[in-house]
């Protein structure tokens, strides 16, 4: 792809004056300036974007260091890219030529567990799965779980308002955030929210910063909501002879008021890719598979799984199997989490992220098939069907020169189809750098203008992640 992921680079003189100023003002901050070190921060998971090479990568250890870095960057008009683990799928953390990337990976501590208020205060660099494990050891549950949970950071989850496999029941990341500490574009530090379950004092700034992809402020601390640890999950797989039948099962479960903790879909191509890699014995003749899980206590789980099974049978499921035990269930869930990596073994993958109101999943699946056929593109689809959020993946031979052109044409049709169904062009990965030009088609120019005004009120110099989102 040739989408530029950032603004023009600052002049060479501005860059060297900035580096000198950082050295003077913040001699203790760890700063990578060697080109080999910086190269690792050029891309996130969107290698198809033409991302820039950062002038420097800072690895701060405290909020004060982040604030100092932003203050000097503002003085010198140097663009700043906040970065977590760099697993983003929209180019939000990709480098900007001549910019400063601030990677929050060293700020990875759990600062306080507040059991009485069921919340935990963390730094942004902690990896999602590490936080989950630490809370589980205390009998507590931090719900948000993107499929990348073993490799992505809480800061990145907050930056993207990450989704995942249990949003259908527990919501996206935003639903689990009570308060934030944020470094603003002039280097000042504010706090939003707190530990209150209910809080309507003024505008909902916590919600505004979550999902803003590092364009409005840098999150340096977060107070996150916890829940009691649910029981181990009961897991069921249902196979279908058509994608539409699987979509129909999803619509039936929604209409029946079922809220399983997981309701994931994989199409035939994804089933084969995952099974090739992990030899799980999945039904490779099926056109689609649903993974349905319950985390209710025993009797409730049995009833929920039974009702989901009935909905699948009514939709024409060809077979239904239940995981024999928790280990088998973990293994199946892990295989689903690795669906993208399984497809990447077959070629270059361009992953999309459209969403529709849940009852329209069958229409979206039909539209995806038609678009792939029309453009002659190989497509494998999986995703969070229970949220109406699907990930069509366009797959190409690694040296296919037509990949860029075909993907661009297919994804324009895909976004149009999602919007025609009342959906969204991105449900959890974000606009970032890769979908910017399509934002007005979804929200309208008037709404984009309001977003621009918010951006310029909070970042008048436009130094925070310029060229992303807007
Ligand atoms: C195999 C695979 C599976 C995935 N599955 C899912 C999934 O199920 N659901 C999902 O939602 N995503 C998924 N993703 C995408 C990605 O993992 C998420 O978007 C994740 O939230 C990014 O976290 P990160 O730490 O890597 O952030 P990065 O990629 O480093 O950054 C993401 C964005 O957040 C901003 N940001 C980072 N830290 C901060 C901060 N401290 N303050 C302000 N802004 C910040 C960045 O500027 C950037 O815009 C998947 C990715 C992969 C590779």
């Amino acid at each position: 792809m040739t989408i530029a992921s950032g603004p023009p680079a600052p002049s060479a003189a501005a860059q060297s004056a900035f580096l000198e100023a950082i050295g003077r003002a913040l001699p203790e901050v760890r700063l990578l300036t060697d080109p080999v070190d910086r190269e690792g921060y050029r891309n996130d998971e969107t290698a198809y974007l033409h991302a820039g090479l950062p002038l420097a990568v800072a690895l701060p250890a405290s909020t004060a260091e982040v604030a100092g870095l932003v203050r000097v960057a503002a003085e010198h008009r140097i663009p700043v890219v906040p970065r977590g683990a760099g697993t983003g799928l929209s180019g939000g953390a990709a480098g900007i030529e001549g910019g400063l990337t601030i990677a929050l990976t060293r700020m990875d501590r759990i600062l306080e567990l507040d059991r009485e208020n069921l919340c935990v205060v963390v730094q942004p660099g902690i990896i999602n799965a590490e936080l989950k494990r630490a809370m589980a050891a205390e009998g507590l549950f931090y719900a948000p779980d993107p499929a990348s949970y073993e490799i992505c950071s809480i800061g990145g989850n907050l930056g993207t308002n990450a989704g995942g496999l249990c949003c259908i029941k527990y919501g996206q990341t935003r639903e689990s955030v009570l308060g934030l500490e944020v470094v603003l574009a002039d280097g000042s530090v504010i706090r939003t929210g707190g530990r209150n379950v209910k809080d309507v004092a003024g505008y909902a700034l916590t919600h505004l910063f979550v999902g803003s992809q590092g364009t409005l402020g840098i999150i340096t601390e977060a107070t996150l909501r916890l829940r009691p640890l649910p029981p181990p999950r009961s897991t069921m797989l249902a196979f279908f002879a058509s994608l539409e039948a699987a979509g129909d099962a999803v619509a039936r479960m929604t209409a029946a008021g079922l809220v399983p903790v997981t309701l994931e879909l994989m199409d035939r191509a994804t089933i084969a890719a995952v099974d090739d890699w992990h030899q799980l014995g999945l039904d490779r003749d099926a056109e689609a598979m649903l993974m349905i899980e319950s985390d209710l206590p025993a009797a409730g789980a049995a009833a929920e799984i039974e009702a989901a099974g009935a909905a699948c049978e009514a939709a024409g499921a060809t077979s239904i199997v239940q995981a024999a035990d928790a280990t088998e269930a973990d293994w199946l869930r892990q295989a689903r989490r690795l669906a993208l990596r399984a497809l990447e073994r077959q070629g270059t993958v361009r992953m999309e992220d459209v969403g529709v109101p849940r009852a329209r999943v069958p229409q979206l699946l039909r539209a995806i098939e038609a678009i792939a056929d029309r453009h002659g593109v190989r497509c494998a689809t999986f995703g969070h069907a229970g949220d109406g959020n699907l990930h069509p993946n366009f797959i190409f031979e690694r040296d296919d020169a037509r990949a860029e052109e075909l993907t661009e044409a297919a994804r324009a049709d895909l976004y149009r189809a999602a919007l025609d169904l009342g959906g969204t062009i991105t449900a959890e990965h974000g606009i970032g750098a890769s979908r910017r030009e399509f934002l007005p088609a979804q929200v309208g120019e008037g709404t984009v203008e309001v977003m621009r005004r918010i951006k310029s009120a909070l970042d008048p110099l436009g130094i925070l992640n310029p060229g992303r989102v807007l």
Side-chain angles (χ1 to χ4, degrees), residues 125-425:
I126 187 165
I127 295 296
N128 177 302
E130 283 169 18
L131 176 60
K132 269 179 170 308
R133 278 193 281 272
M135 294 303 100
E138 301 285 339
L140 296 167
F141 180 51
Y142 173 65
D145 70 339
S148 51
Y149 80 139
E150 290 282 2
I151 52 173
C152 65
S153 73
I154 292 295
N157 295 170
L158 295 165
T160 55
N161 188 22
L165 277 68
C166 68
C167 297
I168 179 174
K169 182 159 182 176
Y170 296 112
Q172 279 178 265
T173 298
R174 188 176 280 138
E175 265 78 45
S176 290
V177 185
L178 294 172
L180 298 173
E181 177 188 78
V182 184
V183 172
L184 298 179
D186 61 358
S188 59
V189 182
I190 62 162
R191 285 187 170 271
T192 70
R195 298 184 189 198
N196 300 301
V197 173
K198 295 168 74 180
D199 182 353
V200 291
Y203 298 131
L205 294 184
T206 306
H207 284 196
L208 177 65
F209 284 111
V210 175
S212 64
Q213 296 204 267
T215 61
L216 300 180
I218 304 183
I219 297 163
T220 44
E221 192 185 293
T223 304
L224 304 173
R225 184 178 166 198
L226 300 171
R227 296 175 162 85
L229 189 66
R233 296 178 184 182
S234 304
T235 303
M236 182 176 84
L237 302 183
F239 295 89
F240 299 85
S242 73
L243 277 169
E244 270 189 293
D248 183 31
V250 172
R252 283 172 188 270
M253 281 183 252
T254 306
L258 295 180
V259 189
V261 67
T262 310
L263 179 39
E264 295 286 309
L265 175 137
M266 296 194 325
D267 72 355
R268 185 190 185 98
T270 313
I271 294 170
V274 166
D275 205 51
D276 281 346
W277 197 12
H278 294 286
Q279 288 88 41
L280 294 169
L282 302 177
D283 178 358
R284 302 170 66 115
D285 293 329
E287 287 297 325
M289 183 195 96
L290 290 179
M291 172 183 283
I292 303 147
E293 295 190 300
S294 175
D295 67 353
L296 293 174
E304 193 168 47
I305 290 289
E306 194 183 322
C312 291
E313 273 168 6
T318 49
S319 64
I320 292 179
V321 285
Q322 285 204 32
D325 52 33
T327 313
E328 194 175 302
D330 283 350
W331 181 230
L332 291 173
R333 199 175 313 115
Q334 190 59 10
R336 158 59 192 94
R337 287 182 189 283
L338 293 169
L340 173 60
R341 298 297 187 223
L343 294 171
E344 282 174 343
R345 285 157 44 95
Q346 302 182 348
T348 301
V349 176
R350 172 71 185 265
M351 185 183 190
E352 285 300 336
D353 175 43
V354 285
V356 289
R358 286 177 281 190
R360 302 198 178 138
V361 166
Q363 289 101 305
L364 180 60
L365 285 165
R366 213 178 304 139
I368 293 167
E369 277 189 316
I371 290 164
D373 281 353
R374 194 158 62 243
H375 293 279
V377 187
R378 228 179 109 208
C379 182
T381 299
F382 62 85
H384 318 294
D387 308 328
N389 176 199
L390 296 180
H391 298 308
N393 295 270
F394 301 123
I395 306 170
F396 299 95
E397 300 293 329
R398 292 192 205 285
D399 56 355
D400 189 339
R402 306 161 313 143
E404 182 178 322
E405 196 188 322
L406 284 176
T407 307
E408 284 310 294
R411 78 176 183 136
D413 280 3
L414 177 67
Y415 296 165
R416 174 52 49 211
L419 295 180
D420 287 347
L421 290 168
T424 174
I425 60 173

Side-chain angles (χ1 to χ4, degrees), residues 8-22 31 33 38 53-56 72 76-79 96-100:
S11 69
Q15 293 184 31
S16 59
F18 169 67
L19 285 181
E20 279 170 29
I22 288 276
L31 199 69
T33 52
R38 289 184 279 137
L53 183 63
L55 164 69
V72 178
H76 291 261
R77 308 290 194 268
I78 295 291
I96 289 179
E97 194 68 35
L100 172 70

Side-chain angles (χ1 to χ4, degrees), residues 54-126:
L55 164 69
V57 177
L59 298 158
S62 66
T63 301
E65 288 190 357
V66 177
L69 287 161
V70 175
R71 211 171 298 123
V72 178
E75 277 163 21
H76 291 261
R77 308 290 194 268
I78 295 291
V80 172
V81 177
R83 182 173 172 113
T87 68
L89 286 159
S90 65
I96 289 179
E97 194 68 35
L100 172 70
T101 290
I102 300 183
L104 283 304
T105 40
R106 286 177 69 213
M107 293 174 63
D108 63 352
R109 283 184 301 131
I110 295 175
L111 299 174
E112 186 190 346
L113 169 58
D114 181 351
R115 281 188 154 278
E116 288 175 353
N117 289 304
L118 271 184
C119 62
V120 62
V121 184
V122 300
Q123 291 186 310
I126 187 165

